[in-house]
Amino acid sequence: MTGHTPEADAYRDDRAHVFHSWSAQRALDPVVVTGGLGSTFWDAEGTRYLDFSSQLVNLNLGHQHPKVVAAIQEQAATLCTIAPSFANPTRSEAARLIAEVAPGDLSHVFFTNGGTEANEHAVKMARLTTGRHKVLAAYRSYHGATTGSITLTGDPRRWANEPAMPGVVRFFGPYPYRSSFHSDSAEQETQRALQHLEEVFTFEGPHTIAAVILETVVGTNGILVPPPGYLAGVRELCDKHGVLLICDEVMSGFGRCGEWFAVDRWDVVPDLITFAKGVNSGYVPLGGVILGEKVYETFAERPFPGGLTYSGHPLACAAAIATIEVMRDERIPERVRDLGERVVGPRLEKLRDRHPSVGEVRGLGLFWAIELVRDRDTREMLVPYNASGAAAKPMADVIAACKARGVWPFTHFNRVHVVPPLVVTEEELLQGIDAIDDALDAADAYVA
C-alpha cells in the first residue's frame, strides 16, 4: 500500500508502531479495514467480506448496529466515565438486565473489561468462598491471556507462559469424535468422562478443590457440545464435594447457542458465570462475573479483594443495555436456535457428504465447527496438532480459498468454524456456507 492516503498511512503506522497479539511482528501483513455494516466489512481497496468469524466471535449484533451506536453516543453526551465506587443509572440497569436473563439465583454482577479478567475474578471468588486453592480446568479450553486465565487454558498458548498461577489441575472433557475414553456412543462418553473427573477429584483430594471451570460449549478448541447428562453430572459432582462450578460463557453466551446462556439448554445452574464478547457485541470492552447467593454472601460482610478502574464503564454498559434490548425485541436467541436447527445443521451435513476431508460437523445455534481430516477412517487431522509453517499449509489453502470467495473465516488447528453475527440473514448464511463448501475442495486435495 503506497502513497499518502489515510489507509496507506494507517498501514505504515501499524507496521511501525502497533504490537500485535499472538504474532511474530515482522511476519504480519494486516488488512486495513475501513468500514463494516451488519454481517459485512470491507478493506481499503473496497473488497467486501462476509464476516463468518464475527471478528473474534464477539460481534453478535453485527457491525454498526444503529441502536447500539446511538446508545453509546447518548451516554457519551451525558457521562463518559465514573469510578466503580459510585452508583450510576447505566451501570445499574445493565446489571439488572443481565441478572434478569441469567439462570437460577445468579442475580449479582461484577463487571470487568473482558473475559480473561472475568475468569481471573471468578477463580478468586471461588477460592475465597471455599477456603480451598485448587481449580480443575480442561485440556481443550481457552479462558484468556492474563496470568491466571492462561494457566486455566488448556491449549498450546499456555506453554510459553508457564510457570504461572499455582493450583490448576487439568482434566479431559468429553469429545465423542476423538474420545480420550475410547467411547463408542455419546452416552458412554458422558459416563466415562464423569468417571474420569471423579477420579481426578479423588486423587487431588476434594477438600482441596475450590472450583471446576469449564466452557459450557468449548469454543475456539473445537465447538464441543457437551453430550447429554454431562453438565448435570459435573454439577452433581461439585455439589457432592462442596466445589463451585464456574461456567465460562464468554463466547457461548448472549444468544450464540440459541439461548441467553448456553447452560439454559441443559437446565444447569452454575455458581458463577463469566461473560464478555456478545454482551454488547464488543463495541466497548465489557465482561463480568454473574454470581449467586452463596458466593455473594461470602462478601456481604467482608470486603472482596479485587477491582478494576473501569469496572462497569458507562459507555460499555450503555452498549450492553441496547444489545440486550435488541436481542429481546427481535427475539434473537429464538431466531438463532431456528437457524441452527433448520439451516446450518442440515446444510453442513450435506457439505460433509460431499467432501471426504470433512470428518465431522457439530454445533448448535450459530456456533458450529467443521472438522477436517486426511482420512475419515483413521480420523487423522488435516494438519497436525498446533501445526505451523509448511505443516499448516492445507489449512492455509482453505483459508485463502474462503477469502477469495468473499468470506472471512474463523479457523483453529484443523477446523473451520461457522460463527457469523447473530443478525446474519438467511441468504447471507447460505452464501457463506456455499463459499466454505467450494473452499473445501482445497482440503479434499490432501485426503489420502
Side-chain angles (χ1 to χ4, degrees):
M1 194 173 292
T2 58
H4 285 285
T5 64
E7 294 80 10
D9 290 345
Y11 184 87
R12 277 194 297 270
D13 288 346
D14 180 285
R15 295 294 67 234
H17 303 294
V18 177
F19 194 90
H20 287 258
S21 58
W22 307 119
S23 303
Q25 302 305 305
R26 289 198 178 113
L28 289 173
D29 184 22
V31 172
V32 178
V33 175
T34 56
L37 187 65
S39 298
T40 303
F41 68 93
W42 49 89
D43 67 16
E45 276 71 48
T47 304
R48 300 176 72 87
Y49 295 99
L50 186 57
D51 192 348
F52 250 48
S53 66
S54 294
Q55 293 303 294
L56 286 175
V57 199
N58 64 336
L59 199 69
N60 286 15
L61 291 188
H63 296 271
Q64 300 302 108
H65 193 289
K67 292 184 178 178
V68 183
V69 172
I72 296 169
Q73 292 172 331
E74 183 179 343
Q75 182 62 44
T78 303
L79 182 69
C80 282
T81 191
I82 193 73
S85 57
F86 293 98
N88 171 261
T90 307
R91 182 185 296 143
S92 299
E93 184 177 2
R96 175 178 59 79
L97 290 173
I98 292 167
E100 285 177 358
V101 298
D105 70 342
L106 276 67
S107 59
H108 308 279
V109 181
F110 175 81
F111 285 111
T112 66
N113 302 311
T116 186
E117 293 169 336
N119 287 323
E120 294 260 5
H121 283 84
V123 166
K124 184 183 294 187
M125 291 173 183
R127 284 175 162 171
L128 291 168
T129 297
T130 62
R132 305 170 182 179
H133 71 284
K134 289 180 184 174
V135 179
L136 307 191
Y139 273 107
R140 293 184 180 93
S141 67
Y142 180 75
H143 295 291
T146 49
T147 301
S149 296
I150 199 67
T151 313
L152 299 169
T153 290
D155 79 21
R157 284 172 283 187
R158 180 186 83 250
W159 301 345
N161 292 281
E162 293 174 321
M165 181 175 70
V168 176
V169 178
R170 206 71 54 192
F171 68 93
F172 287 101
Y175 185 2
Y177 184 69
R178 297 188 182 279
S179 175
S180 300
F181 314 109
H182 309 287
S183 302
D184 55 22
S185 68
E187 294 76 16
Q188 195 174 72
E189 183 76 355
T190 292
Q191 177 190 359
R192 293 182 177 181
L194 289 172
Q195 182 180 6
H196 157 71
L197 184 57
E198 186 156 26
E199 287 178 345
V200 174
F201 269 66
T202 299
F203 293 139
E204 290 297 329
H207 64 286
T208 71
I209 301 170
V212 172
I213 185 170
L214 51 78
E215 294 170 275
T216 307
V217 177
V218 174
T220 302
N221 283 273
I223 315 286
L224 304 178
V225 180
Y230 180 73
L231 289 177
V234 176
R235 174 74 274 180
E236 183 179 350
L237 189 58
C238 288
D239 289 341
K240 177 181 175 181
H241 296 293
V243 173
L244 301 189
L245 175 58
I246 304 170
C247 282
D248 179 340
E249 297 238 1
V250 169
M251 198 174 274
S252 63
F254 289 96
R256 176 59 60 183
C257 294
E259 311 283 348
W260 282 101
F261 293 97
V263 290
D264 297 338
R265 184 169 289 252
W266 294 278
D267 293 322
V268 170
V269 180
D271 298 287
L272 299 148
I273 288 178
T274 58
F275 68 89
K277 293 187 183 284
V279 66
N280 65 0
S281 296
Y283 283 30
V284 182
L286 184 68
V289 184
I290 318 172
L291 49 145
E293 293 305 314
K294 181 176 181 178
V295 179
Y296 175 82
E297 285 300 324
T298 301
F299 306 103
E301 304 296 336
R302 64 187 272 204
F304 173 62
L308 299 155
T309 299
Y310 303 111
S311 177
H313 194 283
L315 297 181
C317 288
I321 293 167
T323 295
I324 293 171
E325 288 176 344
V326 168
M327 291 181 71
R328 279 179 162 171
D329 293 346
E330 299 181 11
R331 298 178 63 82
I332 295 292
E334 294 87 347
R335 178 179 188 273
V336 168
R337 194 182 317 135
D338 171 66
L339 287 174
E341 294 172 356
R342 182 174 55 83
V343 179
V344 184
R347 183 65 185 84
L348 292 186
E349 286 295 339
K350 290 181 181 178
L351 181 150
R352 180 187 182 280
D353 293 341
R354 195 171 93 76
H355 292 282
S357 61
V358 178
E360 183 181 54
V361 297
R362 56 180 177 266
L364 70 170
L366 289 178
F367 204 36
W368 291 79
I370 304 166
E371 177 145 352
L372 303 180
V373 297
R374 288 178 181 260
D375 187 311
R376 278 188 178 174
D377 293 331
T378 66
R379 302 186 180 181
E380 178 189 356
M381 295 167 66
L382 182 67
V383 296
Y385 184 78
N386 200 37
S388 61
K393 185 179 185 303
M395 284 302 296
D397 291 349
V398 172
I399 293 167
C402 286
K403 292 177 181 178
R405 288 160 176 79
V407 169
W408 198 275
F410 186 103
T411 62
H412 189 254
F413 292 169
N414 66 318
R415 299 177 304 276
V416 178
H417 293 186
V418 177
V419 287
L422 308 187
V423 294
V424 66
T425 67
E426 191 166 331
E427 180 183 3
E428 289 171 329
L429 190 55
L430 291 171
Q431 174 192 338
I433 295 173
D434 285 346
I436 293 172
D437 192 347
D438 291 342
L440 289 180
D441 290 343
D444 291 342
Y446 293 92
V447 172

